[in-house]
Amino acid sequence: MIDLRQLRYFVAIVEQGSFSRAANFLHVAQPALSLHVRNMEADLGTPLLYRTPRGVNPTEAGMILLRHARIIIDQLIVAEEEVRDHQNDPSGEVRLGVPGTIGQIIAVPLITAVHLRYPKIKLRIADAMSGFILEWMREERIDLAMLYAQADEHGIHTEHLLEEVLHFFGPVNPIGDEILPPPGQPVPFADLIRMPLILPGHGHGLRELLDGYANTAEITLDSAVDVDSYGNIKLLVEEGIGYSILPQHAIAAEVAQGRVRSWTVSDPVIQRSIYLAHSASRPMTNANTVVLNILRETVRDLIRTGRWIGAHLIGDS
């Protein structure tokens, strides 16, 4: 019979990627961990782990056990919190995944708000491309996320929170025979895609969004340079290599400093949705719940005070 301790050990071994790192993490002797795994494999009648040059990975049976083990451990945490009346004083670690440009806006005010109101909660924020964040949610490596697309079909609950406007921008000096209106004026989408564009590569959420707009307009979207880093996109535009399209808040500082010029986009206006997400299959701990609520509050405050430029809440006029 597998017990809770063995499940905790097994999850730690998989997440740490090796017996030695798991032993250090758990403060348990490595031979003891190996014995527990052998006993579990004997009880279940199937291998749970296999060794690689870089450590250990779960087998197909191990992945099944890992998924259930995480749910069982989470459910136990929920039960312990309720028994100890953590409703008023939640504690524990909460893992949040956000796209890079959102992390630049949300991280500091969110961490500050959580720390001031719930000092026993340790909030970890990781940023990456939205596709990677969705994968982290599927693998249950994070508890909460902000995504650019709905993901309900993947066992993830998503809540449409806001829309943000994207702007077209270019270098201070025109490139070639540039024919564009004065900065700040609208540029039709069909006109701007004829310019030499610096965009994220195929598979990136922003590129898929722009490809979708182009397909709707029956226009082919080509790029002169593919770069997945927003920071590098902005630097290349400043250097006069080409033009690009990014959220308004992502280029606000460069525009204000006169390092780039920007235009609104028309026919149609280009905007993207942002969703809050959490697992639909795992119970929410009290710590996860209060952080999710504070996240909603923080986003609303950033938008309503004008610090999140170019964004508007769903339901706001």
Side-chain angles (χ1 to χ4, degrees):
M1 179 70 69
I2 296 176
D3 59 34
L4 184 62
R5 179 176 60 173
Q6 289 176 318
L7 292 179
R8 292 187 188 277
Y9 287 175
F10 180 74
V11 170
I13 293 167
V14 174
E15 291 183 344
Q16 296 297 318
S18 77
F19 282 92
S20 59
R21 287 195 293 270
N24 290 332
F25 176 78
L26 295 167
H27 304 292
V28 174
Q30 184 174 336
L33 289 184
S34 300
L35 178 60
H36 278 294
V37 171
R38 288 197 300 272
N39 289 339
M40 293 169 69
E41 290 176 332
D43 287 339
L44 295 172
T46 185
L48 297 173
L49 298 170
Y50 65 92
R51 296 187 179 276
T52 72
R54 296 182 179 180
V56 294
N57 286 330
T59 63
E60 183 176 359
M63 287 299 298
I64 295 172
L65 179 62
L66 178 66
R67 184 175 69 252
H68 287 287
R70 283 171 167 162
I71 292 173
I72 292 168
I73 292 170
D74 284 342
Q75 287 176 331
L76 179 61
I77 292 173
V78 171
E80 289 176 345
E81 287 183 347
E82 291 178 355
V83 170
R84 294 172 183 170
D85 194 23
H86 278 196
Q87 295 286 351
N88 298 321
D89 192 20
S91 63
E93 182 178 81
V94 177
R95 303 161 297 178
L96 169 67
V98 296
T101 53
I102 294 178
Q104 295 173 9
I105 301 174
I106 198 74
V108 172
L110 178 61
I111 291 172
T112 301
V114 171
H115 178 71
L116 291 176
R117 292 168 63 176
Y118 299 101
K120 292 183 180 180
I121 293 178
K122 181 179 181 181
L123 177 60
R124 292 176 53 191
I125 298 180
D127 62 65
M129 289 169 52
S130 186
F132 288 128
I133 296 170
L134 177 58
E135 193 63 29
W136 292 346
M137 286 293 295
R138 290 174 180 164
E139 296 174 355
E140 300 179 351
R141 294 169 59 186
I142 55 177
D143 306 299
L144 308 172
M146 299 184 77
L147 302 172
Y148 289 131
Q150 288 183 314
D152 292 351
E153 70 276 14
H154 300 295
I156 299 168
H157 174 76
T158 50
E159 168 192 339
H160 193 183
L161 183 62
L162 64 92
E163 298 276 338
E164 63 176 354
V165 176
L166 275 62
H167 277 214
F168 178 63
F169 69 106
V172 173
N173 298 315
I175 300 175
D177 298 325
E178 175 192 290
I179 302 176
L180 291 171
Q185 297 298 309
V187 178
F189 182 68
D191 292 343
L192 69 85
I193 66 171
R194 297 190 181 98
M195 311 298 286
L197 296 177
I198 303 170
L199 298 173
H202 293 287
H204 190 285
L206 177 59
R207 182 60 175 268
E208 291 181 350
L209 175 74
L210 296 174
D211 283 339
Y213 275 99
N215 292 336
T216 299
E218 298 182 345
I219 301 171
T220 300
L221 177 63
D222 291 320
S223 56
V225 179
D226 287 355
V227 181
D228 286 342
S229 164
Y230 288 166
N232 287 332
I233 287 175
K234 291 189 288 186
L235 289 174
L236 289 170
V237 170
E238 285 188 50
E239 291 294 324
I241 305 301
Y243 302 77
S244 192
I245 306 171
L246 285 178
Q248 185 179 2
H249 70 80
I251 60 171
E254 289 79 6
V255 172
Q257 295 164 7
R259 293 157 56 189
V260 299
R261 298 169 295 155
S262 75
W263 297 262
T264 59
V265 182
S266 63
D267 304 320
V269 173
I270 305 298
Q271 58 184 10
R272 65 180 175 186
S273 303
I274 296 178
Y275 299 83
L276 296 183
H278 62 83
S279 173
S281 59
R282 297 168 59 193
M284 289 275 285
T285 67
N286 292 329
N288 288 345
T289 300
V290 297
V291 169
L292 186 61
N293 290 334
I294 295 175
L295 177 55
R296 292 190 188 98
E297 294 172 7
T298 303
V299 168
R300 293 187 178 101
D301 181 63
L302 289 171
I303 293 175
R304 288 171 177 164
T305 58
R307 287 176 287 172
W308 194 328
I309 302 172
H312 65 273
L313 292 164
I314 297 303
D316 279 10
S317 58

